[in-house]
C-alpha cells in the first residue's frame, strides 16, 4: 500500500516537473518572439526613413555671400527632419553649381533663376553645353544686382564706370552675366571698363585697398562682404533708374524691379535696383520621397531661418520665377500646400 502511494507521488511529481518545463519553454518562446518583434519594429522604422541616400552635398557660394550661411541653415533643417546628413559646401556659385550638379559633384545647389534657365536651354555661357540632369526644388528670394563703390569714389552712375577698374565676377558666372547685361542697357560693354574677375570678398577687399573702383555683386542684401566693407568705409550703391530697369526687363524678362531700403549698409535713402531670383536646384535622379522631405523640411520651417532673407522664403511663392522643370518630389509638396 505504502509502495503504491509512493509510486503515485513520484508520478505526480514527474508530471508537475514536465508542466514547469513546458511553461519555461513557452516563456522562452514568448521572450524570443518579443525580441523578434522589437527587431522587426526597428527594421520597419529604419525602412520608413531609408531614402537610399546617406549624404547630401549642398553647393552654395563664397563665404562672404548669402548662399553659404543660408546653405548651413538648410543643411541643418534637412539633416534634422530627414535623417540624411547634409552639409553646405563653399563653391563658385550659380553657373559652376549647375555644372557641378551635372557632373555629380553635388546633390543640391543654390543658383540664380536666370542661370538655371540658360543651363537647361543651352544658351549664354552654356551654349553647346545644355544640362538636362537638373531640376528645381523651389524659389527662395530676390537676388539684387548691387553695383558697389565707396561713397567718396565719385562714381554715382553707370556712365561714371567708363575707364574704371570694376569687378564683374568670374567669366561664366551669374554675376558676370548680370554685369554684362546691365552695362549693355546703359550703353556700355566690358571693353569700356577695366574688368576684374574677383569673388565677393576679393571685390570688397579690392575696393577698400583702392585696387579697384567698383564691383558688381549679385546676392540677397544685406550681403556679408558689403556689410564688412561698410564697417570700415562708407559704401554707395549705384542706382538703376526706372527707365533703364524697364528697358532691361523688356529684353531680359527674368529680371524684376527691386529696391534696397534706406538703412541697409548705412544708406541714407532707398536705392532703386533690379534683381533675379535665387532658387534651389537638385539632381533629377534624387528619390522623389527624399526631395519631398527636403522641400518640406525647408519650407515648413522658415521661422527657423535667422538670415534676413528668410522672410522672403515662403511655400506660397516657392514656384515663382522658376523657368525649369520642377522635381516631382518638390511639386508634390507645393501641390499639398496650395
Amino acid at each position: 500500500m505504502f509502495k503504491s502511494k509512493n509510486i503515485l507521488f513520484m508520478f505526480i511529481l514527474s508530471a508537475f516537473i514536465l508542466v514547469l518545463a513546458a511553461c519555461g519553454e513557452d516563456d522562452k518562446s514568448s521572450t524570443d518572439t518579443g525580441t523578434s518583434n522589437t527587431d522587426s519594429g526597428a527594421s520597419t522604422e529604419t525602412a520608413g526613413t531609408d531614402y537610399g541616400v546617406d549624404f547630401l552635398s549642398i553647393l552654395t557660394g563664397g563665404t562672404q555671400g548669402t548662399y553659404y550661411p543660408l546653405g548651413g541653415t538648410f543643411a541643418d533643417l534637412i539633416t534634422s527632419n530627414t535623417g540624411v546628413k547634409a552639409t553646405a559646401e563653399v563653391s563658385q556659385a550659380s553657373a559652376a553649381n549647375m555644372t557641378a550638379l551635372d557632373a555629380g559633384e553635388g546633390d543640391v545647389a543654390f543658383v540664380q533663376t536666370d542661370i538655371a534657365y540658360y543651363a537647361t536651354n543651352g544658351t549664354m555661357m552654356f551654349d553647346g553645353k545644355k544640362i538636362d540632369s537638373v531640376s528645381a526644388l523651389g524659389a527662395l528670394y530676390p537676388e539684387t544686382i548691387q553695383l558697389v563703390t565707396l561713397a567718396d569714389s565719385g562714381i554715382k552712375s553707370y556712365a561714371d564706370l567708363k575707364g574704371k577698374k570694376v569687378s564683374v565676377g568670374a567669366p561664366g558666372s551669374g554675376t558676370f552675366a548680370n554685369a554684362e547685361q546691365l552695362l549693355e542697357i546703359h550703353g556700355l560693354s566690358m571693353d569700356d571698363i577695366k574688368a576684374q574677375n574677383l569673388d565677393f570678398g576679393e571685390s570688397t577687399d579690392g575696393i577698400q585697398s583702392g585696387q579697384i573702383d567698383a564691383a558688381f555683386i549679385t546676392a540677397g542684401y544685406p550681403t556679408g562682404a558689403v556689410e564688412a566693407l561698410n564697417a570700415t568705409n562708407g559704401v554707395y550703391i549705384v542706382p538703376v533708374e526706372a527707365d533703364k530697369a524697364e528697358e532691361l526687363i523688356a529684353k531680359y524678362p527674368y529680371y524684376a524691379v527691386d529696391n534696397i531700403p534706406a538703412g541697409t549698409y548705412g544708406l541714407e535713402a532707398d536705392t532703386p535696383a533690379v534683381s533675379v531670383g535665387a532658387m534651389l536646384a537638385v539632381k533629377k535622379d534624387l528619390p522623389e520621397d527624399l526631395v519631398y522631405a527636403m522641400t518640406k523640411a525647408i519650407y515648413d520651417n522658415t521661422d527657423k531661418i535667422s538670415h534676413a532673407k528668410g522672410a522672403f522664403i515662403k511655400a506660397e511663392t516657392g514656384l515663382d520665377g522658376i523657368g525649369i522643370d520642377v522635381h516631382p518630389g518638390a511639386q508634390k509638396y507645393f501641390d499639398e500646400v496650395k
Side-chain angles (χ1 to χ4, degrees):
M1 184 71 177
F2 175 80
K3 185 175 181 180
S4 298
K5 288 182 179 180
N6 191 44
I7 292 172
L8 179 61
F9 173 79
M10 293 300 296
F11 176 80
I12 294 171
L13 180 61
S14 298
F16 180 71
I17 291 171
L18 287 174
V19 170
L20 286 177
C23 288
E25 287 299 318
D26 287 346
D27 287 345
K28 184 175 182 298
S29 178
S30 175
T31 301
D32 289 345
T33 302
T35 302
S36 177
N37 287 342
T38 301
D39 290 343
S40 176
S43 176
T44 300
E45 183 179 354
T46 301
T49 57
D50 183 5
Y51 301 104
V53 175
D54 298 321
F55 178 79
L56 290 167
S57 175
I58 304 176
L59 306 177
T60 63
T63 57
Q64 296 293 320
T66 303
Y67 288 171
Y68 185 71
L70 274 179
T73 299
F74 291 170
D76 290 343
L77 291 174
I78 290 170
T79 299
S80 61
N81 286 277
T82 70
V84 178
K85 175 66 175 175
T87 61
E89 312 287 349
V90 174
S91 76
Q92 295 300 310
S94 291
N97 286 352
M98 290 295 289
T99 301
L101 284 184
D102 189 48
E105 296 169 0
D107 306 291
V108 188
F110 284 77
V111 61
Q112 293 174 201
T113 52
D114 54 336
I115 301 304
Y117 178 85
Y118 298 152
T120 56
N121 285 276
T123 59
M124 293 289 287
M125 70 284 290
F126 293 96
D127 186 19
K129 297 175 286 185
K130 181 177 179 180
I131 291 176
D132 58 10
S133 60
V134 176
S135 55
L137 183 147
L140 298 174
Y141 57 86
E143 285 211 279
T144 308
I145 294 86
Q146 305 165 71
L147 178 51
V148 182
T149 188
L150 296 182
D152 60 1
S153 69
I155 299 174
K156 301 299 179 185
S157 69
Y158 274 77
D160 296 329
L161 293 177
K162 198 162 186 177
K164 298 293 195 298
K165 292 181 180 178
V166 183
S167 174
V168 295
S173 68
T175 298
F176 188 94
N178 301 146
E180 195 170 44
Q181 291 161 358
L182 275 163
L183 289 171
E184 173 197 345
I185 293 301
H186 288 89
L188 300 170
S189 72
M190 291 291 178
D191 294 333
D192 293 311
I193 63 174
K194 296 175 183 176
Q196 310 292 308
N197 304 120
L198 308 175
D199 66 24
F200 294 168
E202 291 169 339
S203 294
T204 52
D205 287 347
I207 292 174
Q208 184 176 15
S209 66
Q211 293 180 337
I212 65 172
D213 302 295
F216 283 92
I217 292 180
T218 300
Y221 63 79
T223 308
V226 184
E227 287 188 306
L229 176 62
N230 187 62
T232 57
N233 304 80
V235 303
Y236 179 76
I237 309 295
V238 178
V240 179
E241 302 300 344
D243 59 333
K244 291 300 181 182
E246 291 176 7
E247 188 178 343
L248 179 73
I249 294 167
K251 186 165 186 178
Y252 304 107
Y254 39 75
Y255 284 97
V257 172
D258 203 352
N259 177 69
I260 302 173
T264 308
Y265 313 131
L267 298 174
E268 295 182 357
D270 289 359
T271 300
V274 292
S275 63
V276 290
M279 61 175 278
L280 286 177
V282 295
K283 291 165 56 179
K284 280 185 176 179
D285 60 4
L286 282 182
E288 181 176 335
D289 56 350
L290 174 58
V291 176
Y292 170 84
M294 291 161 55
T295 309
K296 185 177 180 63
I298 293 170
Y299 289 90
D300 275 6
N301 293 285
T302 55
D303 59 321
K304 296 181 176 66
I305 300 173
S306 59
H307 192 282
K309 285 302 171 187
F312 293 88
I313 303 172
K314 301 175 183 178
E316 55 265 35
T317 58
L319 296 179
D320 289 2
I322 299 292
I324 69 173
D325 291 341
V326 178
H327 193 286
Q331 187 67 59
K332 178 183 177 182
Y333 171 81
F334 290 118
D335 287 344
E336 287 180 356
V337 298
K338 280 182 179 178

